[in-house]
Amino acid sequence: MATAGPPKPAAFARVLEVLDSDPPKLLLLVEDQIRQHPSPQTPPPPPGALLPLDASGNPLSLSGSGCSGNLSADALRWRKPGHTPSRMLLLRFRQQMLRELRGWFDEQEFLEVETPLLVPAPSPEAQFQPFAVTVEDASTPAGFLITSPEFQMKRMLVGGFPRIYQICRCFRGLESGQRHNPEFSMLEWYRAGGTLKDLAQDLEGFISALHHTVSGLCGIAPPRLPKPPWHWITVQELFGLHYQLDLDELPDAARLRKAAGAQGHADCLEGAESYDDVFFRLWDRLEPTLGREGPLFAHAWPLPLASLARELPDHPGYADRLELYIDGLELANGFGELTDPAEQRRRFESDLKNRRTSGRDSVPLDKAFLASLAEGMPPSAGMALGIERLLMWLSGTQDIREVLAFAWDER
């Protein structure tokens, strides 16, 4: 393999300003760096002009391959002067992070896989609003964009793959804001025969390695990160500490809502009827406090929130579910996987009922996934991590659009 040489200089520069000097000088934007150069021509090119650069990075005359332009929209979208770190720098870091993530999983002997983005049946969970894809002149949707590659990857576990991972695009409607974009990137991985402790160690391993990498990058100040192992706490313990509520005594929505109201939290529970609604109204108040002293694993979630996780055999009423929080930001969510096809079907049917109750459209069930579970899925653990959220935390960025090439409203 040929050895890479020094980075090639940029091919073009954008004129930001013509300085009032004699001879005239130009303030240029070269990639995301501001530089000052003598004007290569008289009269000088106007602000917004695009100038070619020679092999040494010096601007050439506007004639030839140069062109006029302006300084609106895309010309400055990824490199606004004074905006540090620039989106261009963060996108370079994104590329490096993805390369290092793949290297880490390769060293752990995982197989990188690609599963369909367009599927016949999405997750039926009520909190998701999947994107239906239609084809012109077709009477029914062609399928749905995935909210996660989970179902297809678990079918591969049934097929005998021991360790698999994937980095792919996922789509969730109505999820937008500083921490959400309807289209985003997901890292998802599975260990057949593994446990959530194994996956927690995976998280500790590659996040620590990426933190070391970002510490050496100019323009990015990484956050503090304690050495592993990181702290674990149960959801029951968290509710006891923050709300003085014992979840063991509050197994349904009515009792949880009444007890939380008695503790002074009725204001956030208006209109909350289901257990999910009541719980997550309270969780939303608690979440910003999590992981402030260091990364925190929240484990053992109430069984109504199990999703696709198994029930903990030594802790009835709670699911083998784990979430990682750092500085109030949820980074990852994983399960000790449910392998019982009958229980999985029951949960799917309950999800469909919840969708109807909440006014959401019904969706088809993934019969191929249920049939695959019936063939026998090995005890396994799986984890999903939001790529953009990890980038945000590592770079100290507060808005997800800063780590995306195009946010939802910029397409």
Side-chain angles (χ1 to χ4, degrees):
M1 182 181 293
T3 303
K8 295 182 179 180
F12 289 89
R14 182 78 64 172
V15 179
L16 285 177
E17 185 180 348
V18 179
L19 301 178
D20 186 13
S21 60
D22 188 17
K25 292 184 178 180
L26 304 178
L27 207 58
L28 300 177
L29 192 56
V30 182
E31 294 190 13
D32 59 347
Q33 302 297 310
I34 296 177
R35 299 178 186 174
Q36 190 178 125
H37 281 277
S39 175
Q41 64 186 64
T42 301
L50 197 60
L51 300 182
L53 300 176
D54 65 19
S56 299
N58 297 311
L60 300 174
S61 170
L62 185 59
S63 61
S65 58
C67 63
S68 59
N70 59 60
L71 294 175
S72 61
D74 287 345
L76 299 179
R77 186 180 306 281
W78 300 276
R79 51 181 185 169
K80 292 178 182 177
H83 191 84
T84 305
S86 71
R87 286 176 74 175
M88 186 177 285
L89 175 62
L90 291 171
L91 290 175
R92 292 194 193 102
F93 175 50
R94 181 189 180 108
Q95 178 194 31
Q96 183 174 355
M97 188 184 90
L98 292 175
R99 184 187 303 121
E100 294 196 16
L101 276 172
R102 287 188 165 94
W104 191 91
F105 278 96
D106 290 347
E107 288 179 0
Q108 304 299 314
E109 299 183 338
F110 279 74
L111 175 69
E112 183 174 12
V113 300
E114 291 183 317
T115 56
L117 299 183
L118 181 64
V119 296
S123 170
E125 292 180 78
Q127 72 266 29
F128 295 139
Q129 185 181 36
F131 287 92
V133 177
T134 59
V135 178
E136 188 176 4
D137 296 330
S139 59
T140 57
F144 298 83
L145 296 176
I146 60 170
T147 56
S148 159
E150 183 171 9
F151 297 166
Q152 284 69 34
M153 293 185 77
K154 288 180 179 178
R155 290 172 61 186
M156 297 184 74
L157 298 179
V158 173
F161 292 90
R163 290 175 300 279
I164 55 176
Y165 81 99
Q166 179 167 193
I167 299 172
C168 66
R169 302 297 272 181
C170 295
F171 305 83
R172 297 179 181 179
L174 295 184
E175 294 195 5
S176 60
Q178 283 193 310
R179 295 183 173 184
H180 298 88
N181 196 66
E183 180 182 359
F184 62 99
S185 292
M186 180 93 82
L187 163 64
E188 194 152 325
W189 72 104
Y190 292 85
R191 287 182 177 268
T195 67
L196 285 179
K197 287 187 177 180
D198 297 322
L199 271 61
Q201 290 176 351
D202 291 339
L203 284 163
E204 290 169 344
F206 68 70
I207 290 178
S208 295
L210 290 170
H211 184 267
H212 178 75
T213 296
V214 75
S215 297
L217 294 179
C218 180
I220 298 179
R224 181 183 66 87
L225 182 66
K227 292 182 178 180
W230 299 335
H231 185 61
W232 287 56
I233 190 170
T234 68
V235 172
Q236 182 185 23
E237 289 171 329
L238 283 169
F239 267 65
L241 288 170
H242 289 264
Y243 293 122
Q244 293 75 53
L245 297 176
D246 183 354
L247 291 179
D248 279 349
E249 305 296 326
L250 306 168
D252 57 62
R255 279 182 278 188
L256 179 56
R257 183 173 57 247
K258 181 178 179 180
Q263 293 287 356
H265 302 288
D267 60 314
C268 73
L269 300 176
E270 184 176 353
E273 297 295 336
S274 70
Y275 187 92
D276 291 42
D277 283 344
V278 176
F279 179 92
F280 282 112
R281 297 277 187 94
L282 296 169
W283 189 259
D284 287 346
R285 286 192 166 182
L286 167 63
E287 187 178 70
T289 70
L290 300 179
R292 294 295 178 182
E293 302 301 319
L296 181 70
F297 291 112
H299 183 232
W301 289 64
L303 198 57
L305 311 174
S307 187
L308 279 78
R310 65 173 188 153
E311 184 173 11
L312 282 166
D314 58 349
H315 201 171
Y318 292 85
D320 195 11
R321 175 175 175 177
L322 183 73
E323 294 193 358
L324 173 62
Y325 288 87
I326 308 182
D327 291 328
L329 183 68
E330 178 200 339
L331 290 186
N333 180 21
F335 306 143
E337 301 295 349
L338 177 66
T339 59
D340 181 342
E343 172 62 14
Q344 187 60 75
R345 179 178 288 276
R346 187 198 68 77
R347 292 189 191 178
F348 277 173
E349 290 171 351
S350 177
D351 288 334
L352 289 179
K353 181 180 179 181
N354 289 337
R355 291 189 71 85
R356 290 192 294 271
T357 301
S358 61
R360 295 286 175 84
D361 291 338
S362 186
V363 295
L365 292 187
D366 194 329
K367 295 178 181 179
F369 172 57
L370 292 171
S372 188
L373 285 183
E375 296 178 40
M377 177 174 147
S380 306
M383 186 73 67
L385 175 143
I387 291 293
E388 285 83 13
R389 286 196 173 195
L390 181 57
L391 274 163
M392 288 171 65
W393 178 74
L394 285 169
S395 63
T397 303
Q398 301 302 312
D399 195 321
I400 194 171
R401 67 193 303 112
E402 297 297 315
V403 296
L404 292 166
F406 290 91
W408 192 249
D409 60 355
E410 295 177 315
R411 296 167 297 157

